[in-house]
Amino acid sequence: MPLDSDAVISGSFPALEQYLARLHARDGTEATTKLRLDGAGRALGSYFHATLTSAFQPIRLAHSGEIVGYEGFARSYSKHDDGLSIWKLLESSASDDESIELDRLCRMLHAINFYRQAEAGISINKSADNSSAAAPGSGAGADLHLSVSGRLLAAVGSNHGMAFRRILDLLELPHEKIVLQIPIVSGGQGWLLDYVLNNYRRNGFRLAVGAVDAVAALALVETVQADVIKINGRHLSDEDSVARLLLLAARRGIKVAFKCVENPAVADKLRWLAEQTGHAIYAQGYFWDTPLDTLTAPAAIGAQ
């Protein structure tokens, strides 16, 4: 299996590079392996009889279109197209233990496929005083958002995030650039949300929580310690609540992100809200980007 010259990054993350080299040498011949590489250097994961890989959708500043992060999604592997989103199908057929395995496999897969790409903007130069500085033009600073399965929240007994943090440390990948996305939980499960968030935070991760709309997000800002609150972009009719949310979130150092931005009307409203309130709004959706296995090049950054 020939490996493309650009398939493995050079020098940015030596431990990851060595791990990918071992995967390439193994060539998937060991029946027990869950990971292997394709000819383009993409990491592939095996789950049941499915082969999975990663797709990434940029997260942008709504007012400028600047890319500030990416969200990773699981896709079925295909040599000829972007694959299918089969997460819900796989998870619905899995037991709790199998769902935990799928969740952890996908997060590891996405982290590898993100950081192996030089375009991720994580090429770091060490200055004379040993502090890290972004390489010119690298776009350094992009976060990686990874979802956590709702079934995992209740199925894992304690120390959420420890296993994933251990993997990142072994591969010497920057856990502080990863934002773990916690799904929306019911009102009676607030204790579970607090417990899980505290566990992930103790393991060094930043956290995003989901809300159905701005009103629900306002309640979350008051009750949980999140770094990001993500809201469905289809629910923007209550502009006063969105404005209050942006003000309160800014005071508490919380980012507000709208997902599922799929048409010009929603994108224009987000830009208008950002201008009217003077607060940053983060957004992602098919209006700007289709999730792809390769990261969007810096030259493609810009509002449409």
Side-chain angles (χ1 to χ4, degrees):
M1 179 178 68
L3 196 65
D4 290 355
S5 59
D6 294 332
V8 178
I9 58 175
S10 178
S12 296
F13 298 101
L16 175 60
E17 186 175 355
Q18 292 166 13
Y19 177 73
L20 293 175
R22 290 197 298 272
L23 279 183
H24 174 53
R26 189 165 58 191
D27 196 22
T29 54
E30 296 180 26
T32 57
T33 185
K34 291 288 184 182
L35 292 173
R36 59 186 176 87
L37 301 183
D38 71 358
R42 283 184 294 180
L44 312 178
S46 298
Y47 182 79
F48 288 157
H49 298 293
T51 300
L52 304 174
T53 190
S54 307
F56 300 98
Q57 185 176 51
I59 299 168
R60 298 174 178 266
L61 285 171
H63 69 279
S64 67
E66 178 187 354
I67 295 175
V68 294
Y70 294 83
E71 180 173 353
F73 296 95
R75 292 289 186 266
S76 64
Y77 172 67
S78 172
K79 293 182 180 179
H80 308 294
D81 55 40
D82 297 324
L84 301 174
S85 177
I86 59 173
W87 169 271
K88 289 184 179 179
L89 175 63
L90 290 175
E91 193 188 31
S92 64
S93 63
S95 66
D96 281 349
D97 287 344
E98 290 165 341
S99 180
I100 292 172
E101 180 185 0
L102 173 63
D103 185 88
R104 289 174 173 169
L105 171 66
C106 287
R107 275 185 277 143
M108 179 179 179
L109 195 64
H110 299 336
I112 290 172
N113 279 324
F114 183 76
Y115 285 109
R116 72 177 180 83
Q117 299 186 61
E119 299 95 322
I122 34 66
S123 177
I124 300 298
N125 291 330
K126 291 291 185 178
S127 62
D129 61 359
N130 205 38
S131 61
S132 296
S138 67
D143 293 330
L144 174 59
H145 289 230
L146 300 175
S147 293
V148 175
S149 166
R151 292 176 67 181
L152 181 139
L153 301 187
V156 173
S158 63
N159 215 350
H160 290 259
M162 180 179 65
F164 187 42
R165 173 64 187 272
R166 186 181 297 124
I167 290 170
L168 295 174
D169 288 347
L170 287 172
L171 297 178
E172 298 177 2
L173 299 178
H175 69 274
E176 66 274 5
K177 298 304 298 177
I178 291 178
V179 179
L180 295 181
Q181 299 182 161
I182 311 301
I184 297 172
V185 300
S186 65
Q189 291 182 303
W191 64 271
L192 176 61
L193 181 60
D194 287 338
Y195 175 74
V196 170
L197 291 177
N198 286 334
N199 270 264
Y200 280 125
R201 191 172 290 107
R202 280 199 296 270
N203 281 292
F205 294 106
R206 287 185 294 141
L207 302 163
V209 295
V212 293
D213 55 27
V215 173
L218 278 165
L220 284 174
V221 170
E222 297 282 6
T223 57
V224 302
Q225 297 180 24
D227 299 281
V228 182
I229 290 181
K230 300 193 80 168
I231 308 168
N232 193 312
R234 299 184 183 98
H235 303 297
L236 272 176
S237 57
D238 189 349
E239 294 175 3
D240 289 340
S241 292
V242 173
R244 289 200 303 273
L245 172 64
L246 293 171
L247 177 61
L248 182 58
R251 288 175 179 171
R252 302 196 174 190
I254 299 172
K255 297 177 180 177
V256 178
F258 289 86
K259 61 182 183 178
C260 302
V261 179
E262 297 173 352
N263 59 66
V266 175
D268 289 343
K269 180 170 282 191
L270 289 175
R271 284 204 269 291
W272 180 82
L273 284 165
E275 292 169 358
Q276 292 297 308
T277 63
H279 297 298
I281 295 177
Y282 300 82
Q284 68 182 103
Y286 282 87
F287 171 68
W288 291 288
D289 307 285
T290 298
L292 300 172
D293 63 330
T294 54
L295 302 179
T296 303
I301 294 174
Q304 296 188 11

